[in-house]
Amino acid sequence: MPDAHTPAHGEVFGGVDTHTDTHHAAALDHIGRLLGDAKFPATPGGCAQLLGWLTRFGPIAKIGVEGTGSYGKQLAISLRQNGIQVREVSRPDRRTRRSHGKSDVIDAINAARAVISDDKTATPKTADGPIESIRVLRIARGGAVKARTAARNELTNLITTAPAEIRETLRGKQT
């Protein structure tokens, strides 16, 4: 029986390069050979298509997804809801991209290889529960504080450039 780090024969590893409108997926076998690659829409239906496509190659061991906190967030949630182990994969650094090339296919294959070797991967945040609620509240508060500051600065500028008689009646009243 293989240990926890040795991929089992027949297992499929997926990798996904995520974007705003599309996700490019690659399927690799347990020793890293490319079984196929395809592009899917970044929609709930596209996520289901991607999962269906990957399962045609065999039982899925893990899927590495780039950007599980942004472009790949919905995909990661969908995969987890279907019982798939998802790993956050770091985007390759600029030096690696320059030396090995950059394409959606290459990035998807590299994401799959990263999960096979468990190199530079992490468990993605679940984006639910109290921590997510606090994050959303902090974002909303930050936006409100910025809007208040912008409005205050705009009023100050309008008062500064207003005619003298208006400026004198409004001086000190912008709080």
Side-chain angles (χ1 to χ4, degrees), residues 62-133:
K62 297 181 208 176
I63 298 177
V65 179
E66 289 185 356
T68 59
S70 58
Y71 297 133
K73 182 176 182 176
Q74 188 59 50
L75 175 63
I77 290 168
S78 175
L79 293 171
R80 277 197 308 269
Q81 287 173 344
N82 283 284
I84 304 297
Q85 184 180 355
V86 178
R87 300 293 292 166
E88 166 76 31
V89 178
S90 301
R91 295 190 188 274
D93 62 21
R94 288 188 179 130
R95 184 182 328 157
T96 302
R97 285 184 168 189
R98 276 194 304 269
S99 63
H100 294 98
K102 160 67 179 119
S103 75
D104 296 345
V105 177
I106 291 171
D107 287 350
I109 291 168
N110 287 338
R113 286 192 173 136
V115 294
I116 291 172
S117 66
D118 210 20
D119 183 39
K120 296 181 183 176
T121 67
T123 303
K125 296 176 184 171
T126 59
D128 60 5
I131 292 174
E132 180 67 5
S133 298

